[in-house]
Amino acid sequence: MSSYAEELRATAQAMMAPGKGILAMDESHSTCNQRFEKLGIPTTEERRRAYRELILTTPKLSDFISGAILYDETIRQSSQAGLPFTQMMQAAGLIIGIKVDTGAKDLAACAGEKVTEGLDGLRERIAEYYQMGARFAKWRAVITIGSQMPSLTCLEANAHALARYAALCQEGGLVPIVEPEVLIDGNHSIQRCDEVTDQTLQVVFSQLRLQKVALDQMVLKPSMVISGQDCAQPASVEQVAEFTVNCLRRNVPATVPGIAFLSGGQSNLQASQHLNLINAQYADRLPWRVTFSYARAIQQTALEHWAGNDAQIPAAQQLLYHRAKLNGAASLGQYSAEMEQQQPVLA
Ligand code: 5MM
């Protein structure tokens, strides 16, 4: 048992506080720069810093956000006034999280499939991040659906890495967010996504047990069970909620304290509607707290409004706060379509 067990349980509970979710703002350079390029924002360290400062200084963000996942560059940065982001987050009541994987790389002998890397030196990196104030971590595995995919090779390789990462995190005092993302890319049906998500979660929990991960000291960050983005007959909100709840109930032990979904390319509206219906309709069937750990479905509107123009920071922050609020409501099953209309009026 980790000497941090009590602390890890308390951190996991705080990450899953009622009415709150986790903000993913851990885009690597390449992902962040791609998003900036589309909006004509210079892809410099300073602009990435300015954008992350915009997010972290959003007034009252902690009303609906328990913690935020940072990238290695970000955890070392400071505000324009010189205050380290870590101190800023602690003062704002945001738990500091850190992405510790080093990205999804091509998996040898499995064309088109990926395996996430980052185990080398991880124990030492975890110790450094803990000293810097981080209390949870994240590692994302990417599973692609195709005619011959995913292969068992890909599922096992990714689950093994996720489990070894999670065990190291718990040893070093960080709550591991275990993120097996089944990609929305493709024209597959919701039934096919269900089959793949089911298989993925089975393999992941089998490896977590094998690596002696304490299931009551982690958070699962799965994708929802949903039809592919090019599917001819997209699944309804009701189907997504039902398939997702059933799949999770089949595979996720009740001792896991919380599930925080990724948005995975869903629209803002879909991400809020799906999370809401899961909580509104199935509350009595969920042994875990179920919330969000969205990146795009919370940030994108604000990023587009800012677009690198600092005069737009207050308006962009209002937009960010608004999406955090709506998803906070969805995590309680209290979101409604009318709330979308309460969008802040921007100058
Ligand atoms: C922020 O995006 C994270 C991945 O970043 P890189 O691909 O640059 O490493 C990603 O893990 C994110 O945390 C989750 O996918 C949730 O983000 P979405 O946009 O799917 O809600």
Side-chain angles (χ1 to χ4, degrees):
M1 192 172 80
S2 162
S3 55
Y4 289 101
E6 279 312 313
E7 183 180 328
L8 292 168
R9 282 189 203 101
T11 302
Q13 289 301 329
M15 290 163 70
M16 291 293 126
K20 298 188 187 189
I22 298 162
L23 176 63
M25 49 180 288
D26 59 314
E27 296 86 357
S28 57
H29 289 341
S30 105
T31 304
C32 188
N33 290 347
Q34 278 170 32
R35 291 184 187 159
F36 276 19
E37 267 165 19
K38 280 192 189 141
L39 297 166
I41 304 167
T43 55
T44 61
E45 179 179 350
E46 167 48 28
R47 284 292 81 187
R48 290 193 296 271
R49 190 209 59 75
Y51 177 58
R52 268 63 185 255
E53 179 170 351
L54 178 162
I55 296 176
L56 294 174
T57 54
T58 296
K60 299 193 288 179
L61 191 62
S62 64
D63 286 357
F64 308 108
I65 300 292
S66 58
I69 313 167
L70 308 180
Y71 185 54
D72 180 76
E73 177 183 80
T74 318
I75 200 171
R76 301 174 194 283
Q77 287 176 323
S78 301
S79 70
Q80 202 168 23
L83 188 63
F85 283 165
T86 49
Q87 283 182 32
M88 199 184 274
M89 287 178 70
Q90 283 160 341
L94 295 167
I95 309 170
I96 302 166
I98 181 76
K99 180 221 291 293
V100 299
D101 68 66
T102 55
K105 309 286 162 54
D106 289 344
L107 178 60
C110 293
E113 298 194 286
K114 303 274 182 193
V115 63
T116 302
E117 296 187 350
L119 288 172
D120 289 352
L122 183 56
R123 176 176 278 129
E124 292 73 25
R125 288 194 289 129
I126 287 170
E128 184 192 10
Y129 290 137
Y130 187 90
Q131 285 303 322
M132 294 173 88
R135 289 297 176 266
F136 70 96
K138 194 203 85 173
W139 179 293
R140 169 175 171 254
V142 178
I143 309 298
T144 307
I145 299 183
S147 62
Q148 303 295 323
M149 297 189 285
S151 64
L152 193 55
T153 314
C154 172
L155 291 179
E156 289 285 2
N158 276 293
H160 176 81
L162 270 170
R164 287 200 52 209
Y165 138 82
L168 280 164
C169 281
Q170 291 181 342
E171 178 193 272
L174 302 184
V175 171
I177 294 185
V178 173
E179 180 179 1
E181 175 172 4
V182 176
L183 294 178
I184 201 171
D185 305 356
N187 60 5
H188 51 268
S189 64
I190 188 169
Q191 288 82 4
R192 174 78 178 124
C193 180
D194 186 39
E195 196 177 273
V196 171
T197 308
D198 200 71
Q199 203 187 357
T200 302
L201 292 175
Q202 278 177 37
V203 176
V204 166
F205 277 96
S206 150
Q207 283 288 342
L208 289 171
R209 287 195 167 96
L210 198 63
Q211 299 298 329
K212 305 185 193 308
V213 173
L215 300 183
D216 62 340
Q217 296 155 42
M218 61 162 274
V219 167
L220 180 71
K221 176 166 173 172
S223 36
M224 294 180 193
V225 178
I226 190 167
S227 48
Q229 62 188 0
D230 300 323
C231 178
Q233 289 178 317
S236 65
V237 176
E238 289 73 19
Q239 283 178 304
V240 172
E242 186 182 353
F243 273 83
T244 301
V245 168
N246 288 338
C247 187
L248 292 172
R249 278 174 55 87
R250 284 196 301 273
N251 292 293
V252 185
T255 182
V256 170
I259 292 179
F261 290 110
L262 57 90
S263 59
Q266 297 180 39
S267 69
N268 290 348
L269 202 63
Q270 287 174 320
S272 298
Q273 287 175 332
H274 291 150
L275 178 63
N276 185 63
L277 196 62
I278 287 168
N279 281 297
Q281 191 157 325
Y282 298 96
D284 57 341
R285 298 183 58 198
L286 306 177
W288 342 266
R289 216 186 104 57
V290 177
T291 186
F292 61 91
S293 175
Y294 297 159
R296 285 164 288 180
I298 288 195
Q299 288 186 44
Q300 194 58 28
T301 321
L303 174 64
E304 286 170 12
H305 198 87
W306 172 62
N309 177 0
D310 291 345
Q312 295 299 338
I313 287 175
Q317 289 178 327
Q318 283 189 57
L319 292 166
L320 186 80
Y321 180 83
H322 183 67
R323 288 251 61 92
K325 180 178 172 180
L326 267 50
N327 287 304
S331 78
L332 298 170
Q334 294 171 1
Y335 162 89
S336 65
E338 295 72 55
M339 293 176 79
E340 292 288 344
Q341 311 313 319
Q342 297 160 7
Q343 185 102 327
V345 181
L346 306 175

